[in-house]
Amino acid sequence: MTKAQIGVYGLGTMGSALALNMAEQGFEVAVTNRETAWIADFIREAGTLAGKLQGYETLEEFVAGLAAPRVILFMIPSGAPMDAMIEAVTPLLAAGDTIIDGGNADFHLTRRRAAALQAKDLHFVGMGVSGGEEGARHGPSMMVGGSGHSWAQLKPILRAIAAKFEGNPCVDLMGPDGAGHFVKTVHNGIEYADMQVIAEVYGLLRYGAAKAPREIGEMFADWDQGRLKSYLIEITGKVLHYDDPKTGHPVVDVITDAAGQKGTGRWTVVEAIKLGQSANLIEAAVGARGWSSEKDTRAEAEKILGGERGWFDPGEAPLKEAFLAARILGYAQGFRILAAASEEYEWDLDYARIAQVWRAGCIIRSALLDDISEAFAGDLPAGQLILAPGFAKMLSTSVPALRKVVAAAVTGGHAVPGLSAALAWYDSMRQGYGTANIIQAQRDFFGHHGFERLGEAGKHHGPWWD
Ligand code: 6PG
C-alpha cells in the first residue's frame, strides 16, 4: 500500500470532514480514532472517497502507514487529551516529523508544546481552522503557526483543501509556534463581537419597534449585499425566517436566551488585557454571554427592577450605519490585539494577509475584509485600523448614526452593551488629551507614584508633596 501523505487522528465532526476534504483533493490519508469502532464506519460512509482513506486501529500501524517526514493532524480536544496523545505518539516519530493541533487551543499551550518537541527535533504546529463542519468539508480558512519546515510539508495539502477567495487559498503561515492559534483566537473574539452587535440590532427592532422576526430577517437579507455582506448577517437573516414545527412560533422565540461559550472569546479578552489593551467591544460580547446565562437572576430582577423598554424605532438606514460603525470598531479592536501580540512575541504578523485568509471559509468572512486587507497593505501605525484614511472616512459618516442609536436605546432602557462599548472606545481614542491626567494626579497624591509633565520627560510630583 502507498504510504499516506498525511494522517488524521480524531474522526469527530471536524476531523472526518477534513479527512474527506483531503481525500477529495486526491491525497492519500491515513485515519484513526480513539474509539476504533468508528473507523470502518467512517471509511464505508466515505463512498467513492474510501479508496483514498487508509484506516488503522493502532497508533503504531497508523504512524507506520505515513510517508516520512510524517505529518499528523490531531482533531481532538486541546487540553489534557492533546498532551496525552503527544506523549503516546512522540516515541513513534523521527526527526523532521510534524504534529498539528487543529483544534481551538490556548496559544500559550501551543508555544510550550512547540518548544518541548523542538528539543526532540520534532515540529509542533498550532492550526486554527474556521468554518464549522461545512467549511472543513468543502473549504475552511486556516491559520497556521509553526516552523518553515512544517509549512513546506503542509502547504500543498492545506492550499488544496482551503476555501478560495477569487482563486486564492485562504490559508497561510501566520508565524511561529502559537501565532496560528492566537490569530484564530482573535478571529473568534471578533466573531463574538459581531454576533453580539447583530443580536442587539435585532433586539432594538424586535422589542423597541415591535417588528416580527421574519421582517427583521428580510432586513438582514437586504443588508447581506454590498459593504455589510457577511456570513453572520446572512445566517441571521436565514434563521429569522424559520418557524418552530412544534408550536408554529418563530423558532427564535422558542430558543432559551442563554448563550454558550467554549472559551476563545474569553481568551481574546484576557490576552488583550495582558497586552495592555482593552478590546471593550469583545469584552462586552463575552460579558453579555455571561449575563445571558444568569437566566434565573434575570427573571427575578425583571420582577423586582422592572423590565420595561421604551418604544424606539431607529429606522433601518441609521441602524445599518450604526451597525457598520460597530463592525468596523470590532475588527479594529481585533487587529489592535494582533498588533500588540505580534510585538510582544516577535511574530511579525502580516495583517493584510490575515484579512485575506479571513475573506472566505471562516465565520467572520465579510466584504469589509477586502477593504481591511487593502488598508493594511499601506503603512498603518500600531495596527490601528481606525487610522486608515478609508476607515476614518467610513467612521466619520457612520458614527453619528451609532451615537443616535446608542443614545435613544439607552434612554429607552434597551441593553446595548456592544454598540455602546464600540462608541466609548471610538470616543476615547479620538481625544488627543483625555482624562488620565486626573488618574495620574490621584496616584501621585495617595501613593507618591509620580507623573510625566506635558513635554517634559522624567518623574514629577505634584505641589501636594511640597
Ligand atoms: C469557527 C468557530 C468555531 C467555534 C464556534 C463555537 O471559526 O469555526 O469560531 O471555532 O468553536 O464558533 O464557539 P463558542 O462556543 O465559544 O461560541
Side-chain angles (χ1 to χ4, degrees):
M1 198 167 14
T2 13
K3 298 244 179 193
Q5 289 150 288
I6 185 164
V8 176
Y9 186 105
L11 295 174
T13 313
M14 294 296 280
S16 311
L18 286 170
L20 291 172
N21 189 348
M22 289 168 189
E24 194 161 65
Q25 293 304 321
F27 297 99
E28 300 287 339
V29 188
V31 294
T32 190
N33 194 61
R34 193 161 70 100
E35 292 84 1
T36 49
W38 297 15
I39 303 168
D41 289 349
F42 168 68
I43 294 181
R44 195 174 328 106
E45 284 161 22
T48 54
L49 297 177
K52 291 279 174 197
L53 299 164
Q54 305 167 15
Y56 295 99
E57 296 209 347
T58 69
L59 196 57
E60 288 74 13
E61 288 168 321
F62 170 70
V63 172
L66 296 169
R70 302 173 186 88
V71 181
I72 304 178
L73 170 62
F74 283 92
M75 294 304 296
I76 58 175
S78 171
M82 190 66 217
D83 282 327
M85 285 318 301
I86 292 174
E87 210 183 310
V89 81
T90 303
L92 307 173
L93 300 180
D97 289 352
T98 290
I99 300 176
I100 311 155
D101 174 1
N104 282 331
D106 179 338
F107 84 107
H108 291 295
L109 278 179
T110 309
R111 280 165 68 80
R112 280 203 287 279
R113 288 164 174 165
L117 287 176
Q118 196 182 11
K120 297 177 182 167
D121 268 340
L122 297 173
H123 298 256
F124 188 78
V125 165
M127 180 168 82
V129 180
S130 181
E133 182 183 0
E134 180 63 17
R137 178 65 185 85
H138 299 291
S141 161
M142 289 167 287
M143 296 136 255
V144 180
S147 64
H149 164 84
S150 297
W151 178 234
Q153 286 176 291
L154 287 168
K155 197 171 164 179
I157 304 177
L158 298 183
R159 283 174 66 90
I161 66 164
K164 311 286 182 303
F165 182 80
E166 293 172 355
N168 235 310
C170 290
V171 58
D172 217 331
L173 181 67
M174 301 284 125
D177 51 67
H181 273 150
F182 190 85
V183 172
K184 175 60 170 56
T185 298
V186 172
H187 164 284
N188 283 25
I190 298 171
E191 172 185 305
Y192 273 51
D194 219 37
M195 290 167 78
Q196 173 65 24
V197 171
I198 293 173
E200 290 175 18
V201 166
Y202 163 81
L204 290 175
L205 292 169
R206 187 75 209 279
Y207 306 110
K211 295 211 185 300
R214 200 174 283 268
E215 204 180 338
I216 305 170
E218 266 148 34
M219 184 201 76
F220 282 129
D222 286 345
W223 287 13
D224 188 33
Q225 287 155 32
R227 188 152 265 161
L228 286 183
K229 184 166 178 51
S230 66
Y231 175 69
L232 285 169
I233 287 283
E234 178 197 330
I235 63 163
T236 311
K238 283 184 178 156
V239 301
L240 290 169
H241 274 89
Y242 282 87
D243 286 331
D244 173 39
K246 215 164 155 185
T247 57
H249 295 310
V251 77
V252 290
D253 282 354
V254 301
I255 299 176
T256 303
D257 59 332
Q261 52 180 320
K262 297 201 196 79
T264 43
R266 187 165 52 235
W267 292 343
T268 309
V269 172
V270 168
E271 294 308 326
I273 298 277
K274 283 192 198 159
L275 291 163
Q277 296 296 313
S278 166
N280 71 333
L281 171 48
I282 301 175
E283 243 162 68
V286 175
R289 287 200 193 188
W291 295 334
S292 79
S293 66
E294 291 185 62
K295 179 89 179 135
D296 295 343
T297 309
R298 287 190 290 112
E300 201 50 31
E302 184 170 337
K303 282 184 232 146
I304 298 169
L305 306 173
E308 333 44 63
R309 285 174 281 199
W311 165 261
F312 164 48
D313 187 354
E316 192 183 319
L319 206 49
K320 193 173 176 184
E321 284 299 302
F323 176 73
L324 173 67
R327 169 171 279 174
I328 293 172
L329 294 166
Y331 277 120
Q333 291 193 346
F335 277 94
R336 182 64 196 108
I337 303 169
L338 289 177
S342 183
E343 199 182 319
E344 174 74 18
Y345 301 105
E346 297 177 7
W347 284 335
D348 201 16
L349 294 178
D350 179 343
Y351 313 117
R353 187 66 195 127
I354 292 170
Q356 287 167 6
V357 164
W358 288 347
R359 282 186 308 189
C362 71
I363 303 294
I364 62 168
R365 60 186 183 259
S366 71
L368 212 54
L369 283 162
D370 263 348
D371 300 316
I372 295 178
S373 81
E374 254 172 53
F376 279 118
D379 186 24
L380 215 47
Q384 288 285 18
L385 192 63
I386 53 172
L387 301 183
F391 280 93
K393 194 158 168 250
M394 268 189 253
L395 286 168
S396 72
T397 53
S398 57
V399 165
L402 177 62
R403 202 177 292 294
K404 278 194 193 124
V405 167
V406 168
V410 168
T411 306
H414 295 271
V416 283
L419 290 167
S420 55
L423 184 60
W425 183 58
Y426 177 83
D427 280 339
S428 299
M429 292 307 287
R430 69 187 179 85
Q431 294 304 328
Y433 192 72
T435 55
N437 48 332
I438 302 300
I439 312 282
Q440 288 298 78
Q442 291 164 336
R443 289 176 71 243
D444 186 57
F445 193 97
F446 66 64
H448 206 244
H449 293 295
F451 51 76
E452 271 184 30
R453 289 179 67 96
L454 286 172
E456 252 184 78
K459 198 168 171 178
H460 301 269
H461 294 286
W464 40 82
W465 285 106
D466 291 342

